[in-house]
Amino acid sequence: MNREFQEMDAGTFRAVVRARGFRTGDAIHVTENLRVCDPAITRLCDHLKVSGDLNLSGCGSLQSLPDWLSVSGDLIVDDCKKLQRLPENLRKVNEFRARNCTALTSIEPLRLCRGPTTVTGCAMLQPLPSDFRSMCWVSLDGCTIHHHAICLEGAVPDTVMIAAVGRRVGDLIDHRLLSGHSIKDEFITEVEFDEELNETCFYIDASSLVI
């Protein structure tokens, strides 16, 4: 992208966005972790590069992220209740966390998280993209997917545990966010209940989602 970015530290960025906002077309490079947690902010800037983590938790009035966004670290958008989508160019981040983003409809075009992925409390969210991958665990409402297991919160009936081995994940676990992903076609090889964590783990090859 051939665009001249203005370098800025996190404190200056926060001061500008709260006082007057950025002008149309402004391209800003924040050279460190950036945390902006202000429920009154409705927009950031049109082009933003963050050399670190971007944490926007609690920006409840923020309706969209910059049209062009690059984040070298984590992207956290917890409680951004008006955020509807991610920028079209955003393909990968480290950790991605979106909790209680009640207007978020999709994590497209995000394809790779180099860290954990947490998407919970997002009632409008469409199923995960079929080619989405995370290099750590993926946490969804009611379940967590690890490299070799999908674990459900709480216990399941003994009859289900007995019948699960040899069955497809999709035959027993009907999770709307996994409905378009090939992980639902993986076969269960073992089931166990972890009393300490209070979760039932179905062992599978989860490499189609967690790599």
Side-chain angles (χ1 to χ4, degrees):
M1 180 180 179
N2 296 321
R3 182 174 297 277
E4 184 175 347
F5 282 80
Q6 176 186 351
E7 288 196 356
M8 190 174 289
D9 62 36
T12 303
F13 184 95
R14 284 192 294 268
V16 172
V17 79
R18 287 168 175 165
R20 59 174 175 79
F22 290 97
R23 296 169 298 183
T24 300
D26 277 352
I28 307 299
H29 175 200
V30 178
T31 56
E32 57 188 345
N33 293 338
L34 175 60
R35 180 180 175 90
V36 181
C37 303
D38 189 330
I41 290 175
T42 59
R43 66 181 296 272
L44 299 175
C45 55
D46 289 344
H47 308 274
L48 177 61
K49 177 164 57 175
V50 180
S51 294
D53 302 336
L54 175 58
N55 188 337
L56 299 170
S57 299
C59 292
S61 298
L62 188 66
Q63 298 183 11
S64 62
L65 298 179
D67 293 334
W68 190 93
L69 177 64
S70 173
V71 179
S72 64
D74 304 340
L75 176 60
I76 311 297
V77 292
D78 292 348
D79 298 305
C80 292
K81 297 183 182 296
K82 292 189 177 180
L83 182 65
Q84 298 182 17
R85 62 177 181 82
L86 301 182
E88 292 183 0
N89 73 292
L90 189 68
R91 302 288 188 221
K92 58 185 178 181
V93 295
N94 284 355
E95 177 180 0
F96 176 68
R97 199 173 76 209
R99 298 184 297 192
N100 304 317
C101 296
T102 51
L104 187 65
T105 59
S106 176
I107 66 167
E108 294 271 11
L110 193 61
R111 287 296 183 271
L112 176 65
C113 287
R114 295 179 291 252
T117 303
T118 302
V119 183
T120 58
C122 303
M124 299 295 293
L125 195 66
Q126 299 170 4
L128 298 181
S130 59
D131 56 349
F132 175 77
R133 302 290 185 273
S134 178
M135 297 179 70
C136 196
W137 44 262
V138 176
S139 180
L140 308 175
D141 289 306
C143 75
T144 301
I145 301 100
H146 304 277
H147 289 92
H148 300 296
I150 177 169
C151 299
L152 304 184
E153 294 177 359
V156 301
D158 289 343
T159 53
V160 174
M161 294 183 67
I162 294 171
V165 176
R167 302 282 297 277
R168 293 168 58 255
V169 169
D171 293 337
L172 297 174
I173 301 173
D174 183 20
H175 199 294
R176 66 181 184 83
L177 295 185
L178 298 177
S179 62
H181 202 281
S182 60
I183 193 171
K184 69 181 186 302
D185 296 320
E186 297 296 336
F187 288 92
I188 299 167
T189 59
E190 184 182 351
V191 186
E192 69 175 7
F193 177 67
D194 189 321
E195 293 186 3
E196 182 177 350
L197 297 178
N198 189 34
E199 62 182 18
T200 304
C201 292
F202 297 80
Y203 289 90
I204 61 171
D205 176 5
S207 59
S208 62
L209 177 58
V210 181
I211 56 178

